[in-house]
Amino acid sequence: MKPLFTTVIAAMTIVSCTTQEESIAQLSDKIFSLAEKQFILLADNLPDDRAPKYLDQKDSLITSDINWWCSGFFPGSLWLTYEKTGNEEILELAKKNTLKLSNLLDHKTDHDIGFQINNSYGHAYRITRDEKWKPMILAAAERLATRYNPVTKTLKSWDFVPEGRDWTWPVIIDNMMNLELMTNAAKLYHRNDLKEIAIAHANTTLQNHFRKDYSTYHLVDYDSISGNARLHQTFQGFADESAWARGQAWTIYGYTMMARETGIETYLQQAEHIAEYLLERLPEDGIPFWDFDSDKIPEDLRDASAGAIMASAFAELSALTKDKNLALKSREMAEKQVRTLASPAYLAEEGTNGGFLLKHSVGNIPGGTEIDVPLTYADYYFLEAISRLTSLLSH
Ligand code: GLY
């Protein structure tokens, strides 16, 4: 029999351990309450026709025009915050920042309209069910569909070709994320043709973008006459053969999302393989270095955005996979990543960080831009990850 003192200490230890760590529900309340205040601050500094891009090292807000691939993330974060809090001021900002994107159909040189419109108009319609938000979802998906080539069976990512690159039909892994706009429009308007394009693109990417270990290249260039993959590169990463962290984040998110949207088993299996690969390689605190194979690790920069995207994908995968062990490991990883991002190392204090939530993301190191800064997409996927984790706990 244990002495009474030992039993009491053991009981006190259990109580203090359980009271020390915030529950995910408490964490969610805290983060969304911070988001309400931060986003009002961020919106105050934003010109009417511009989107937030990042905060530079001198704490100046750098904005972009509406064509920039990230212009849908701030409205998306506002919609997620309104959904959670019901704050009417946030609702007005969400509407205003969504409507800024109303001329986006005129921009025709890249694939990013999926990110831009599904995260803004897509949420606006999903949350309010106001019909006025709906036609843009179809129009944008139709716009994206014009980039489809039945020979390569892919959507073309970029029209631009930087100096020194010999691309003819470049497809980047990020393009997987734009497919959700097409499946969403297909559901809302009974347009199976749009869903078929999304499936064709996901199938081709699955065949050509991955290495044997389920890491992904950033870019595959196709021969648009033969349809064959002709170049494999990692344009935004450390090296062509390296695993650029955000690219890996787009894959696990992209195939998990496509498994949810289509029910196709191959996509779920691909997401499971990617998850196993990431679980093996992620650092102890869950936040990846900007490239898993950078030669400066462990001194190199982390990428909070990749951690946030992965957390959201791991949370969704944990609910979709039938592999109980992987479901548990995925859910634990999502929670670990969210808790790390919610720690002072990454989370801004109220009134700081220019109104962004997270610090320490990496946009484009080879391009020399947005390095170790707050970024809109880190905040967006962080909020989505918390929402997904919270809803997992309530089921
Ligand atoms: N879609 C561009 C990026 O992930 O940086």
Side-chain angles (χ1 to χ4, degrees):
M1 199 180 170
K2 281 182 191 159
L4 180 62
F5 177 73
T6 317
T7 311
V8 170
I9 292 293
M12 281 170 62
T13 310
I14 290 167
V15 170
S16 84
C17 285
T18 47
T19 50
Q20 253 173 18
E21 189 170 69
E22 281 170 311
S23 69
I24 286 293
Q26 286 168 329
L27 192 67
S28 167
D29 289 346
K30 185 176 97 180
I31 298 298
F32 277 99
S33 156
L34 178 66
E36 281 176 286
K37 294 167 200 127
Q38 289 294 89
F39 293 159
I40 288 169
L41 176 67
L42 182 47
D44 273 351
N45 293 322
L46 202 57
D48 275 348
D49 57 346
R50 309 278 297 172
K53 192 170 178 185
Y54 66 98
L55 196 69
D56 73 8
Q57 305 298 346
K58 293 184 190 127
D59 279 358
S60 298
L61 177 65
I62 308 299
T63 63
S64 75
D65 67 23
I66 294 312
N67 295 331
W68 175 242
W69 73 278
C70 301
S71 59
F73 291 117
F74 185 50
S77 292
L78 290 163
W79 283 113
L80 293 179
T81 306
Y82 167 67
E83 185 176 32
K84 164 79 179 165
T85 63
N87 181 323
E88 293 287 329
E89 191 177 352
I90 295 290
L91 173 63
E92 290 314 309
L93 288 175
K95 289 182 191 166
K96 178 179 166 183
N97 283 276
T98 297
L99 288 170
K100 282 184 189 176
L101 276 61
S102 60
N103 290 329
L104 208 55
L105 296 176
D106 298 339
H107 176 71
K108 298 178 180 160
T109 53
D110 60 53
H111 62 141
D112 292 315
I113 199 161
F115 277 116
Q116 292 162 310
I117 294 302
N118 211 42
N119 295 334
S120 54
Y121 283 80
H123 282 308
Y125 181 66
R126 181 183 64 77
I127 292 168
T128 65
R129 290 286 148 187
D130 184 335
E131 292 289 318
K132 80 171 179 203
W133 301 111
K134 206 171 148 189
M136 185 62 155
I137 298 168
L138 178 62
E142 286 177 334
R143 210 22 244 90
L144 184 54
T146 64
R147 302 186 68 76
Y148 183 70
N149 179 343
V151 178
T152 65
K153 296 189 172 51
T154 57
L155 295 152
K156 187 180 189 181
S157 297
W158 295 327
D159 290 359
F160 95 105
V161 181
E163 223 181 291
R165 299 279 170 172
D166 165 33
W167 301 336
T168 54
W169 191 270
V171 176
I172 59 171
I173 194 63
D174 325 27
N175 211 330
M176 285 298 300
M177 303 296 286
N178 292 311
L179 305 183
E180 195 168 3
L181 170 73
M182 307 200 88
T183 58
N184 192 17
K187 270 186 287 191
L188 295 175
Y189 286 93
H190 309 291
R191 285 285 303 271
N192 209 44
D193 57 319
L194 297 171
K195 184 172 168 184
E196 290 303 324
I197 289 176
I199 290 173
H201 182 97
N203 290 344
T204 311
T205 300
L206 199 149
Q207 271 170 21
N208 294 315
H209 251 84
F210 289 89
R211 305 185 184 100
K212 282 197 174 64
D213 62 1
Y214 295 99
S215 68
T216 181
Y217 289 96
H218 176 210
L219 182 147
V220 174
D221 190 60
Y222 291 86
D223 179 329
S224 51
I225 310 292
S226 69
N228 294 334
R230 56 184 287 277
L231 295 171
H232 291 80
Q233 299 178 347
T234 297
F235 184 55
Q236 262 173 254
F238 174 70
D240 281 342
E241 290 304 325
S242 71
W244 172 52
R246 202 163 49 258
Q248 314 314 305
W250 296 141
T251 57
I252 186 169
Y253 192 114
Y255 280 96
T256 306
M257 174 276 291
M258 282 299 284
R260 179 231 306 151
E261 289 293 292
T262 64
I264 294 175
E265 195 62 25
T266 326
Y267 299 156
L268 184 58
Q269 284 164 5
Q270 188 72 2
E272 289 167 346
H273 288 308
I274 301 164
E276 298 284 10
Y277 167 81
L278 291 175
L279 289 165
E280 194 62 37
R281 294 207 70 187
L282 280 164
E284 191 51 39
D285 65 6
I287 308 305
F289 291 92
W290 74 280
D291 188 306
F292 283 93
D293 300 305
S294 144
D295 62 351
K296 295 201 184 72
I297 293 172
E299 306 307 328
D300 215 346
L301 296 171
R302 304 295 186 107
D303 179 9
S305 80
I309 298 158
M310 286 177 195
S312 190
F314 273 122
E316 173 151 68
L317 181 62
S318 75
L320 285 184
T321 180
K322 289 165 215 83
D323 176 338
K324 288 203 170 66
N325 186 34
L326 183 62
L328 181 66
K329 285 194 292 182
S330 298
R331 185 156 154 173
E332 284 172 353
M333 179 52 78
E335 190 169 328
K336 180 191 284 189
Q337 290 172 316
V338 161
R339 287 190 186 280
T340 304
L341 293 174
S343 74
Y346 288 94
L347 190 67
E349 281 180 36
E350 189 186 324
T352 69
N353 211 31
F356 290 85
L357 291 175
L358 294 178
K359 304 174 272 186
H360 305 311
S361 287
V362 165
N364 187 346
I365 286 195
T369 58
E370 305 128 58
I371 299 170
D372 197 18
V373 292
L375 288 169
T376 52
Y377 43 102
D379 288 1
Y380 173 82
Y381 290 106
F382 177 51
L383 293 178
E384 188 183 69
I386 298 170
S387 301
R388 286 180 171 176
L389 274 176
T390 317
S391 84
L392 283 179
L393 294 172
S394 61
H395 287 106

